[in-house]
Amino acid sequence: MAAAPNNARYADILPRAVAMCADAHDVQLCLRWAADHREKFAVRSGGHNYAGFSTTRGLLIDVKAMNKVWFDIDKNRGYILAGASNQNMADAFSGSTFAIPSGRCPTVGASGLVLGGGWGFSATHAGLTCDSLAQTYVALANGEHVSADAQGEHRDLFWALRGGGGGNFGINTAFSFELHEVKDDVTIFNIVWPGEKQIELLTALQEIQNNHAQQISTRTKAYPDAPGAFPRREQLLVTTLGQFFGPREKALEALAPALKLVKPLKQDIRQMSYWQARDYLITDDPNGMYDLRSSYVAESLPPEALETMLRWMMKWPGGSLLPENMGILFAIGGKVREVATDATAYVHRNANYIFEMESAWAPIDKPDVVRRQQAWLTEYFAAMQRFMLPQSYVNFPSRELPHWAKAYYGDNLTQLMRVKRKYDPHNLFNFEQSIPIA
């Protein structure tokens, strides 16, 4: 059980041992042992690495037991230890008028979230999780345990840790964040439309998001109404889920163009507190066995791109599960775009959306079904690239991603490689997609 990852594709990769770290000293001991014995290892804070990079046949260094969360309102700081999850953070802050922008899946490790950037339903309004990071402690390959912030001697490391991905430079043991005030109500919405006028609806939803870039945050997608191969066009539903930072009447005004276009099958639009909205918006998706790809969209997907997307959905080869995540637009513009591309390692400040696609299967599905799904995913991803930026979100990693280093890090890759050489010259932190040394 201690070795089980979120993505069950990698559940057969069993470690020689699992080190359940209770504090930073335990982390340092594990790194020293791994270096002395030249033992492969992986680091885990939540186990949600989609490409299985938090699994190993060596030593699994698990920090989940280090899950304390606290805050100091007078200093406007929130503090977490490395094993805290999104749920641990929400439990600590819920009911207060302050929050740290974070993700929506309860069991995701906050460490991995912030180190890769940190998308959530507050990103367009308050920035990425890494944009609120003020300071972090890191156990380094040389045995030191250092503090990194924007002004200190390790400011180059601090720069790299805000979007450079987990497991590249050291093991983070604790973080402190600037707090954001969340005393005002927000409005949640969860709307599903029938399988008609999909391109017009998806275009309208993107326009709504882009016209209210910092006031609204959406996850918009199309998906079939039932499992099965080759769904028909009229089976492809359109849905949007998210929150509006303001009262219900203003949210209804913003959403009106899409609501007037086609009558929804389902429409839930309610005003509530920020923390009630957070509980409404949580998900445990994905889980089980799955594969995925991600890209970034600069402004919006034009009708030709949406048509391509829908046609590939209709080529779905089938399986026992309902393919709910065939093409998702996660809004990541607004406040995120206000930061310069080289101000942090997170380089994707030129985009309005993450576009993500998945295939998923169950034990009942035969190997040939899985092979067809994975071939479909590869071809579908390739077909969409002419509409995408040549970028990919490091927190949605794929082992099949071509030119992954450039896709994850863009023009910041060269500086990340220099930081890697400085802090990990012998490449102790090494896995299939770890940052190479300059």
Side-chain angles (χ1 to χ4, degrees):
M1 287 177 66
N6 170 267
N7 191 341
R9 285 182 70 190
Y10 305 102
D12 63 333
I13 301 176
L14 297 175
R16 289 181 61 193
V18 182
M20 308 293 286
C21 297
D23 53 33
H25 181 63
D26 287 352
V27 173
Q28 289 175 283
L29 286 175
C30 289
L31 285 178
R32 188 184 310 159
W33 183 88
D36 288 347
H37 293 82
R38 298 183 180 180
E39 179 70 64
K40 283 281 188 181
F41 66 92
V43 186
R44 178 179 296 180
S45 64
H48 279 257
N49 189 286
Y50 293 165
F53 297 142
S54 61
T55 60
T56 179
R57 300 198 190 279
L59 175 66
L60 181 58
I61 303 174
D62 193 325
V63 299
K64 283 200 295 292
M66 299 164 57
N67 61 4
K68 185 178 179 183
V69 183
W70 70 103
F71 56 90
D72 186 329
I73 298 299
D74 293 334
K75 293 181 179 178
N76 194 45
R77 287 289 183 269
Y79 305 91
I80 69 168
L81 296 185
S85 65
N86 280 328
Q87 188 63 48
N88 296 141
M89 292 171 67
D91 289 343
F93 284 96
S94 184
S96 78
T97 57
F98 294 90
I100 298 166
S102 62
R104 64 187 290 240
C105 182
T107 54
V108 162
S111 290
L113 177 78
V114 63
L115 294 173
W119 179 86
F121 276 118
S122 294
T124 59
H125 182 74
L128 300 169
T129 309
C130 75
D131 294 336
S132 293
L133 185 65
Q135 180 270 340
T136 181
Y137 286 101
V138 193
L140 299 176
N142 65 4
E144 290 185 69
H145 187 234
V146 303
S147 172
D149 59 38
Q151 285 78 41
E153 63 174 306
H154 303 298
R155 54 187 176 274
D156 54 347
L157 178 61
F158 185 69
W159 174 88
L161 292 169
R162 286 176 293 163
N168 281 304
F169 308 101
I171 301 179
N172 295 71
T173 60
F175 303 83
S176 65
F177 298 89
E178 294 178 4
L179 299 177
H180 293 259
E181 194 170 65
V182 291
K183 62 181 175 60
D184 296 327
D185 277 3
V186 299
T187 301
I188 59 87
F189 50 89
N190 187 6
I191 310 166
V192 181
W193 286 271
E196 56 182 282
K197 295 186 178 179
Q198 293 98 332
I199 289 177
E200 293 93 329
L201 275 169
L202 291 164
T203 299
L205 290 167
Q206 290 177 96
E207 290 174 354
I208 290 166
Q209 176 65 60
N210 296 352
N211 291 338
H212 304 82
Q214 293 192 24
Q215 203 168 13
I216 198 168
S217 182
T218 51
R219 182 231 59 195
T220 297
K221 64 181 180 179
Y223 69 102
D225 60 4
F230 312 117
R232 301 183 309 279
R233 181 77 167 234
E234 60 269 23
Q235 287 185 267
L236 299 178
L237 311 178
V238 172
T239 181
T240 192
L241 171 75
Q243 67 182 348
F244 180 89
F245 287 85
R248 185 175 185 272
E249 59 269 20
K250 294 291 185 182
L252 285 168
E253 285 179 21
L255 293 165
L259 294 173
K260 291 176 181 176
L261 193 61
V262 178
K263 184 180 179 182
L265 295 171
K266 171 184 176 180
Q267 179 178 320
D268 188 8
I269 305 173
R270 283 183 279 157
Q271 185 174 322
M272 58 183 65
S273 75
Y274 175 90
W275 291 109
Q276 288 172 319
R278 182 265 169 196
D279 291 345
Y280 183 95
L281 294 168
I282 62 173
T283 181
D284 62 353
D285 189 45
N287 57 39
M289 290 176 283
Y290 54 88
D291 196 2
L292 56 78
R293 307 283 187 276
S294 73
S295 298
Y296 281 84
V297 179
E299 299 300 326
S300 59
L301 288 182
E304 184 185 0
L306 297 170
E307 181 65 38
T308 302
M309 179 186 80
L310 294 171
R311 286 187 180 277
W312 274 96
M313 290 180 178
M314 293 165 67
K315 295 179 182 180
W316 170 249
S320 63
L321 303 179
L322 175 65
E324 294 186 71
N325 299 324
M326 302 174 89
I328 308 175
L329 287 162
F330 294 100
I332 199 161
K335 193 75 172 177
V336 178
R337 295 189 73 146
E338 291 186 355
V339 180
T341 57
D342 60 354
T344 67
Y346 182 88
V347 74
H348 314 289
R349 307 287 183 170
N350 58 343
N352 280 340
Y353 301 95
I354 301 172
F355 182 75
E356 190 238 13
M357 55 183 73
E358 299 174 18
S359 64
W361 57 93
I364 196 173
D365 290 314
K366 295 179 179 179
D368 187 55
V369 171
V370 179
R371 281 193 291 271
R372 287 199 300 270
Q373 284 194 18
Q374 291 177 312
W376 169 87
L377 187 65
T378 298
E379 293 170 22
Y380 173 23
F381 180 73
M384 293 299 293
Q385 288 313 290
R386 62 194 176 105
F387 308 109
M388 304 290 166
L389 295 167
Q391 302 172 25
S392 187
Y393 184 32
V394 72
N395 278 356
F396 292 166
S398 167
R399 291 173 184 256
E400 309 304 320
L401 182 66
H403 314 298
W404 56 267
K406 194 69 175 174
Y408 293 150
Y409 306 117
D411 291 341
N412 287 340
L413 177 61
T414 300
Q415 178 61 16
L416 284 164
M417 290 168 67
R418 291 193 193 106
V419 175
K420 176 73 170 178
R421 173 168 287 282
K422 178 178 176 180
Y423 288 96
D424 187 19
H426 302 295
N427 205 21
L428 180 67
F429 294 93
N430 176 30
F431 56 93
E432 289 91 333
Q433 289 186 354
S434 55
I435 291 172
I437 293 174

